Amino acid sequence: MVRGDDQLNGLQGGKRALDILCVATERTVSAFAYEEIGETSTEGDKRRERLRRLRRLINYSLSTTMNSSLSKRLKIDECKNQDPEQNPNRVASSPSLCHLESKRPQKVVSNKPVRNRKPVIVTDEDRTPTEWLIDVMREVNGMDAKLIFVKVLPNSDVDELQTRLMMPWKQILDMDFLNEEELEKIDRHHKKISASDKGADVIVVNSKGLQRKLKLKRWDMTSTSNYVLGLGWNKVVTDNILQRGTRLRIWSFHSPYMLFFAFVLSDPDPAPTECLNLLAKLCEETTCLEALQEANRMSSLVSDTELDLELRL
């Protein structure tokens, strides 16, 4: 602050000195130009005009410099006097950093609503293990059955090009379904400790008893972490005829040596186009039935009229 005041006072003193110098020079030229130098009146006028222009230029330059210095000093004072809550970075209150900070683009918050999928409602029926699941557990000496995941499959989970089932952590009903060894394998693959680490082994089984061995891995995304069933998933899609809209329930259990996922499926809701087609077909059949009934009624009326005429004759 003191250093800035000294600079300002120095500039003001320099301006006063230059003003005095310009006035003295102009008066000296006016008094002695004609006698000592022998200039004509026209040449003297030109010299004085040049001096006036020089004086105006000096005044303008000094005024601009003083204003700029004063403005910078005010910005420095403003940064130093800011509330710590508004300016937590006290070190950044230098003139250069304050100037740069004001030019940084601010983050624009979009007003567009974020489209989220509807949450899946888990019913008491969902939490009841099916008979075939109990039978499979008996066959492999399974234990600790848990309903861990319920999802209505989107197109991305049945797309043969993506080849994976995504299981977001925030949608998993019970995260405590993996043992220590399985967690370590998944963590080693996630951290890419060794090329031989491929994730944890899991056997997927369905109501027909068909089994597929897959790898369970972890994928981190911007908004959430996920468990993923990857390589071999397309075969599971084919085996179980999975399609968009299929409601999938995943039960986990352990045999003495392996992790199992049991897939319990529900048929997808009929698509709107299918409903419309069924409705159109029903309307068409109803129209045909009404037309047939009307034809029978008219035929009956004709028969009654002919019989009445015959009786009159």
Side-chain angles (χ1 to χ4, degrees):
M1 179 75 72
V2 176
R3 185 178 180 181
D5 291 338
D6 292 342
Q7 291 178 349
L8 186 61
N9 293 333
L11 289 172
Q12 290 175 345
K15 180 177 182 301
R16 286 195 296 270
L18 286 173
D19 287 340
I20 295 172
L21 178 61
C22 289
V23 172
T25 303
E26 184 177 356
R27 289 178 179 176
T28 302
V29 171
S30 298
F32 301 105
Y34 302 142
E35 293 80 7
E36 295 182 2
I37 304 177
E39 291 178 333
T40 63
S41 176
T42 303
E43 292 175 348
D45 292 339
K46 291 181 178 179
R47 182 180 291 276
R48 283 192 294 275
E49 182 63 26
R50 286 195 296 269
L51 287 172
R52 291 191 189 98
R53 291 180 180 178
L54 177 62
R55 183 180 177 184
R56 286 196 297 270
L57 179 62
I58 293 172
N59 287 336
Y60 176 75
S61 300
L62 286 173
S63 176
T64 303
T65 303
M66 289 173 62
N67 290 335
S68 177
S69 299
L70 181 60
S71 176
K72 288 181 179 180
R73 193 187 71 173
L74 291 175
K75 287 183 178 180
I76 295 172
D77 294 343
E78 182 180 356
C79 290
K80 289 183 177 180
N81 294 329
Q82 276 184 350
D83 190 353
E85 294 182 357
Q86 298 178 355
N87 184 20
N89 188 4
R90 303 289 294 180
V91 180
S93 296
S94 65
S96 59
L97 289 178
C98 287
H99 183 64
L100 291 174
E101 184 67 25
S102 63
K103 291 188 176 182
R104 289 176 183 170
Q106 300 297 322
K107 183 178 180 180
V108 178
V109 179
S110 175
N111 294 325
K112 295 182 179 180
V114 178
R115 185 177 64 180
N116 294 324
R117 293 190 177 95
K118 295 181 180 180
V120 178
I121 299 175
V122 181
T123 64
D124 293 337
E125 182 181 358
D126 293 333
R127 298 182 183 277
T128 304
T130 61
E131 293 183 4
W132 69 262
L133 171 58
I134 297 174
D135 293 338
V136 171
M137 292 181 63
R138 287 172 180 168
E139 292 176 2
V140 298
N141 295 324
M143 62 188 69
D144 196 20
K146 296 179 180 179
L147 177 65
I148 63 170
F149 192 64
V150 180
K151 185 178 187 181
V152 177
L153 298 181
N155 187 64
S156 58
D157 283 334
V158 295
D159 186 354
E160 62 179 5
L161 298 179
Q162 301 201 34
T163 321
R164 89 289 184 277
L165 172 67
M166 194 80 73
M167 302 168 58
W169 284 9
K170 57 186 178 182
Q171 296 179 19
I172 293 179
L173 303 177
D174 190 344
M175 288 290 291
D176 189 24
F177 67 93
L178 296 171
N179 59 33
E180 294 296 328
E181 181 181 358
E182 292 158 355
L183 286 171
E184 183 179 357
K185 290 180 178 180
I186 292 174
D187 188 61
R188 288 178 61 88
H189 170 267
H190 177 66
K191 294 179 179 179
K192 300 180 180 178
I193 296 177
S194 173
S196 60
D197 296 321
K198 303 296 183 181
D201 293 327
V202 57
I203 292 180
V204 175
V205 59
N206 62 11
S207 59
K208 299 177 182 179
L210 186 60
Q211 299 183 4
R212 294 283 186 184
K213 189 174 182 180
L214 281 73
K215 293 287 188 179
L216 183 65
K217 305 175 183 179
R218 171 182 168 182
W219 284 5
D220 285 345
M221 302 179 70
T222 304
S223 58
T224 184
S225 296
N226 309 269
Y227 284 134
V228 176
L229 289 174
L231 187 62
W233 172 247
N234 283 346
K235 295 180 180 179
V236 177
V237 172
T238 303
D239 294 340
N240 296 274
I241 317 178
L242 300 180
Q243 54 185 310
R244 178 182 178 182
T246 299
R247 193 171 187 272
L248 172 65
R249 286 177 283 164
I250 299 181
W251 286 79
S252 75
F253 63 91
H254 282 87
S255 72
Y257 307 102
M258 184 62 65
L259 170 66
F260 282 80
F261 280 174
F263 279 15
V264 181
L265 309 176
S266 299
D267 293 332
D269 296 332
T273 53
E274 296 178 1
C275 293
L276 292 176
N277 291 336
L278 290 174
L279 181 61
K281 186 177 180 180
L282 179 62
C283 291
E284 183 180 356
E285 292 177 353
T286 303
T287 303
C288 292
L289 181 60
E290 291 177 351
L292 181 60
Q293 291 176 348
E294 182 65 19
N296 291 335
R297 189 179 68 83
M298 293 299 296
S299 176
S300 177
L301 289 176
V302 171
S303 299
D304 292 343
T305 303
E306 291 178 351
L307 179 59
D308 185 56
L309 290 174
E310 288 179 358
L311 290 175
R312 290 181 180 181
L313 292 175

